[in-house]
Amino acid sequence: ECLPDVERLKRSSWTLLHTITTAYPTEPMPTQQEEMKTFMRMFSKINPCWCCVEDFRAWMSRPENNVSKYVQRRKTFGKWLCDAHNDVVENIGGGSDACVLRISI
Amino acid sequence: ECLPDVERLKRSSWTLLHTITTAYPTEPMPTQQEEMKTFMRMFSKINPCWCCVEDFRAWMSRPENNVSKYVQRRKTFGKWLCDAHNDVVENIGGGSDACVLRISI
């Protein structure tokens, strides 16, 4: 229960992260934007998925992926995470579970 | 994929959180302790599990559950999360998936 294999860990992490983006306000207040930026930055440091932590961190550190501008709206934040997912999954040789924007944003 | 039911969301969240505690250093540096405190505080705000977010937040806000003292060691931090899990699960009428400390800490 407490020590999942890496596939389960990856699935769990993405499930939680995508749900976080769908629960994010459509037009978040500045405080909520700050909290979400801080959460994502902390997550990029403590992400326990040893197979993707470096790729995710590298992706987030690219200027064009700076989370600050994307947390201004639910729609852009959700897209940002799907882009991260697709990019990180591609880097680790996956592809079949790449995120598809099937949610109503 | 992007909109899990609440059971899947709960499982995913606990899986990720418990794995985070097992990946935490045995004796974390002050910076790592700060990052983990911040992560948990942000998570308590943005936790998308609508069925347990209030219980988790209330549990964390009790003085005896102040995360600051628990992040000083992996062992105490892991125990802190299991206590949170057991308490929150009990409050929402569950019990069967209560965390058992089966991991080597």
Side-chain angles (χ1 to χ4, degrees):
Chain A
E1 178 74 34
C2 288
L3 281 178
D5 62 42
V6 71
E7 286 305 319
R8 184 168 153 224
L9 176 59
K10 280 195 294 184
R11 273 199 310 277
S12 298
S13 303
W14 289 116
T15 294
L16 175 60
L17 291 175
H18 285 295
T19 311
I20 283 171
T21 71
T22 66
Y24 193 55
T26 315
E27 301 201 0
M29 292 181 297
T31 317
Q32 294 171 311
Q33 297 181 33
E34 284 302 318
E35 289 168 355
M36 192 56 80
K37 273 195 287 189
T38 305
F39 176 79
M40 287 308 310
R41 285 180 179 146
M42 292 301 112
F43 180 75
S44 77
K45 290 171 186 285
I46 58 128
N47 178 359
C49 179
W50 58 96
C51 79
C52 50
V53 57
E54 291 303 333
D55 287 335
F56 198 4
R57 203 179 288 152
W59 187 88
M60 275 187 71
S61 70
R62 285 189 221 151
E64 69 269 28
N65 298 330
N66 187 333
V67 69
S68 300
K69 36 180 186 176
Y70 295 97
V71 292
Q72 292 171 15
R73 295 284 183 281
R74 179 198 289 169
K75 184 172 177 171
T76 51
F77 182 49
K79 173 73 164 54
W80 176 86
L81 189 73
C82 283
D83 287 345
H85 192 159
N86 288 336
D87 192 83
V88 172
V89 165
E90 199 164 321
N91 274 1
I92 58 177
S96 60
D97 66 343
C99 181
V100 179
L101 270 173
R102 271 179 289 182
I103 52 177
S104 172
I105 50 176
Chain B
E1 178 74 35
C2 288
L3 281 177
D5 62 41
V6 71
E7 287 304 321
R8 184 169 152 221
L9 176 57
K10 281 196 292 184
R11 271 199 311 278
S12 297
S13 303
W14 289 116
T15 294
L16 176 60
L17 291 176
H18 286 296
T19 311
I20 283 172
T21 71
T22 66
Y24 193 54
T26 315
E27 302 200 359
M29 292 181 297
T31 317
Q32 294 172 309
Q33 296 181 34
E34 283 304 316
E35 288 167 357
M36 192 56 80
K37 273 195 287 189
T38 305
F39 175 80
M40 287 308 310
R41 285 180 179 146
M42 292 303 110
F43 179 76
S44 77
K45 290 170 185 284
I46 57 129
N47 178 0
C49 179
W50 58 95
C51 79
C52 50
V53 57
E54 291 303 334
D55 286 335
F56 198 5
R57 205 179 285 152
W59 187 90
M60 274 187 71
S61 70
R62 286 190 220 149
E64 69 269 28
N65 298 330
N66 187 332
V67 69
S68 300
K69 35 179 186 176
Y70 294 97
V71 292
Q72 292 171 15
R73 296 282 183 281
R74 179 198 292 168
K75 184 172 177 169
T76 52
F77 183 49
K79 173 73 165 52
W80 176 87
L81 189 73
C82 282
D83 287 347
H85 191 160
N86 287 335
D87 193 83
V88 173
V89 164
E90 199 164 320
N91 274 1
I92 59 177
S96 61
D97 67 343
C99 180
V100 180
L101 270 174
R102 271 178 290 181
I103 51 176
S104 171
I105 51 177

